[in-house]
Amino acid sequence: MPTAVQLIAEHRNVDQLLLPTGSILFERGESATALYAIERGLVELTTGGRDRLRYGDGEVFFYEDLVAEDTHHSRTARAITPVHVLRLDRNSFLELIHGHPTLVLSLLSGQHRRLRQQRLEAAHFY
């Protein structure tokens, strides 16, 4: 079964972005119109404080903002290494899910792994 990043990469409407370190993919508060998948590199998402998330090779992020009631980005995304990022607009993402319903399970599984890892890392601070 192809990965989420592979399915996104194969979509006819995907935008491929090659960005240098320090590039902003989107700012907090901007309209969320697309999801992002990282083929190579690291992206850091911040809310402005110490709250930071990092995404790397093979990870998909901000599909949550596409389905939320408030369709604005809740974080700013900045490349912390040179990155190759795939961007897929909301309608194309919904089309992709319709054609590949197991994609949702893959995304949920990835989110579950990320939350479990964050919980384990947070346990070291108590």
Side-chain angles (χ1 to χ4, degrees), residues 83-100:
V83 292
H84 179 194
V85 178
L86 306 172
R87 180 175 55 201
L88 190 64
D89 67 80
R90 183 181 195 279
N91 290 334
S92 296
F93 175 56
L94 295 174
E95 176 186 296
L96 188 62
I97 289 172
H98 182 73
H100 301 277

Side-chain angles (χ1 to χ4, degrees), residues 4 31 39 46 49 67 73 82 84 91 102-103:
S31 291
E39 287 231 314
T46 63
V67 297
H73 287 294
H84 179 194
N91 290 334
T102 58
L103 175 60

Side-chain angles (χ1 to χ4, degrees), residues 2-112:
T3 67
V5 173
Q6 289 169 331
L7 289 171
I8 292 166
E10 293 170 359
H11 197 280
R12 70 185 179 286
N13 293 333
V14 70
D15 294 321
Q16 299 210 22
L17 309 173
L18 298 172
L19 302 170
T21 301
S23 296
I24 302 291
L25 280 76
F26 53 80
E27 295 273 356
R28 181 179 184 199
E30 289 180 2
S31 291
T33 60
L35 70 87
Y36 297 81
I38 301 176
E39 287 231 314
R40 187 176 57 257
L42 287 172
V43 172
E44 185 172 79
L45 288 84
T46 63
T47 57
R50 293 177 50 191
D51 182 22
R52 300 175 188 276
L53 296 172
R54 287 191 177 178
Y55 289 85
D57 299 357
E59 293 190 281
V60 178
F61 61 96
F62 270 88
Y63 54 90
E64 312 90 46
D65 282 356
L66 289 178
V67 297
E69 286 183 26
D70 178 17
T71 58
H72 291 86
H73 287 294
S74 57
R75 299 170 183 272
T76 296
R78 179 186 313 272
I80 57 173
T81 67
V83 292
H84 179 194
V85 178
L86 306 172
R87 180 175 55 201
L88 190 64
D89 67 80
R90 183 181 195 279
N91 290 334
S92 296
F93 175 56
L94 295 174
E95 176 186 296
L96 188 62
I97 289 172
H98 182 73
H100 301 277
T102 58
L103 175 60
V104 173
L105 296 175
S106 174
L107 293 172
L108 288 172
S109 176
Q111 189 71 2
H112 177 70

